[in-house]
Amino acid sequence: MKVSRPCALCATGLRGGTAYLVDGVRRGRRRRGTTRFIRLLICETCYERGRPDPDTGRTRAASARRTKTAEWWGLAGRGPALPPQLCLAGCGLTVVRGAEVLMRGVTCSAACRTSLTRRRNGGRGSGRPCGACGTLATAGRADSAYCDAACRQKAYRRRAADRTPIMAPAPNPTSTPAPDDPVPTPGPDPAPELLAALVPFVDGTTLGISQTLYKTLYRVHTAHLRGHDPAEHIARLTSLNPDRIKIPDTDKGRRLRASLRALRPAQNPHPQP
């Protein structure tokens, strides 16, 4: 399908002429220090004005390759300039770019490259078994792992359920232990120690913990202050490994780590082997 694209520098339509694919950057859209280099399409006039001098080979001034919206510095590719060729994706543009060692054909943009890849595959899918239902993926991209969006969502929910900590079942009040079995003695509740240990980390006086841990501790602390039951948020802490999560090696940090260690066996008295 033929499209009409403007020059990245002067906004002149590229239909009917020769477009040059160059390495550059968009200006005025992102904050300083976060510039992302991209490839731009410019017209022949802008390329001739900013390309190296054909007689001396000297690079022209940067002002010849810069506008308020974009800036470029050379043809895309690491090899010599190729002759003008039509974009293989069928957009109708004639493109000039530099050669690449692994390049199989000339395309004018990432969108055309993606369109060409999908057309070559024919939308037949990967042919591999679906990760949710097991049927073969016969539609979609060449690297599709699922047969449709419903199976993709089903697999996501299954992974999310696997990450949720398994709570121990409530004891049956009607069952009584056998006479020969020892009666387990419940240990001290680790929640009060956790509520005391997390205060320096949620009030801003102590830093150095991971963002995931901070958010969970803040929810526990807020629920406790408002008189709500923080058991739901405390249960989420059992999925965190206190020996691997980021906690500073200070007295307050060691106290918090110890309270998290004591919390895990209390919330999971029957750990999985």
Side-chain angles (χ1 to χ4, degrees):
M1 180 180 66
K2 295 185 177 181
V3 296
S4 178
R5 295 177 181 169
C7 171
L9 298 182
C10 63
T12 303
L14 299 175
R15 175 70 65 82
T18 301
Y20 289 78
L21 187 64
V22 296
D23 290 322
V25 63
R26 294 280 186 184
R27 303 181 63 200
R29 293 188 178 183
R30 300 173 69 90
R31 293 181 297 178
R32 183 177 300 176
T34 59
T35 302
R36 185 169 62 94
F37 301 110
I38 58 176
R39 288 186 170 177
L40 308 170
L41 282 173
I42 62 176
C43 63
E44 186 174 3
T45 303
C46 293
Y47 177 76
E48 292 294 337
R49 183 172 62 247
R51 71 167 185 168
D53 191 300
D55 298 329
T56 62
R58 294 181 178 179
T59 303
R60 300 186 189 273
S63 58
R65 295 175 276 106
R66 179 189 303 164
T67 63
K68 294 182 179 180
T69 58
E71 179 182 357
W72 68 277
W73 46 81
L75 277 177
R78 303 178 181 177
L82 297 173
Q85 302 180 39
L86 285 174
C87 176
L88 290 181
C91 66
L93 290 180
T94 302
V95 185
V96 176
R97 57 157 296 163
E100 290 278 5
V101 177
L102 301 178
M103 186 177 64
R104 295 191 298 174
V106 173
T107 52
C108 64
S109 63
C112 282
R113 186 165 58 252
T114 302
S115 174
L116 180 63
T117 302
R118 292 181 177 178
R119 191 183 312 123
R120 285 171 174 170
N121 182 60
R124 296 187 298 270
S126 62
R128 298 192 297 265
C130 174
C133 64
T135 59
L136 296 181
T138 57
R141 305 188 319 185
D143 58 346
S144 55
Y146 305 100
C147 58
D148 55 14
C151 283
R152 187 182 304 109
Q153 182 68 14
K154 186 187 301 181
Y156 166 75
R157 291 176 177 174
R158 187 180 302 166
R159 293 193 302 269
D162 293 340
R163 291 194 297 265
T164 304
I166 302 175
M167 304 297 295
N172 189 356
T174 60
S175 61
T176 56
D180 297 336
D181 295 341
V183 178
T185 302
D189 186 8
E193 173 63 19
L194 174 66
L195 293 174
L198 62 83
V199 172
F201 295 94
V202 298
D203 62 3
T205 59
T206 305
L207 305 176
I209 62 176
S210 67
Q211 186 177 12
T212 302
L213 179 59
Y214 171 78
K215 290 181 178 179
T216 309
L217 294 179
Y218 181 80
R219 294 189 182 102
V220 173
H221 183 63
T222 304
H224 175 67
L225 293 180
R226 294 178 178 178
H228 302 161
D229 186 10
E232 178 184 356
H233 304 295
I234 293 178
R236 297 180 182 178
L237 293 173
T238 60
S239 62
L240 304 177
N241 189 342
D243 296 324
R244 300 187 63 181
I245 199 166
K246 182 182 177 182
I247 300 177
D249 191 17
T250 59
D251 293 339
K252 297 178 181 179
R254 286 189 288 269
R255 182 185 180 186
L256 177 62
R257 195 185 298 274
S259 64
L260 292 176
R261 290 196 187 103
L263 185 68
R264 297 192 73 183
Q267 295 290 335
N268 293 288
H270 304 290
Q272 299 293 329

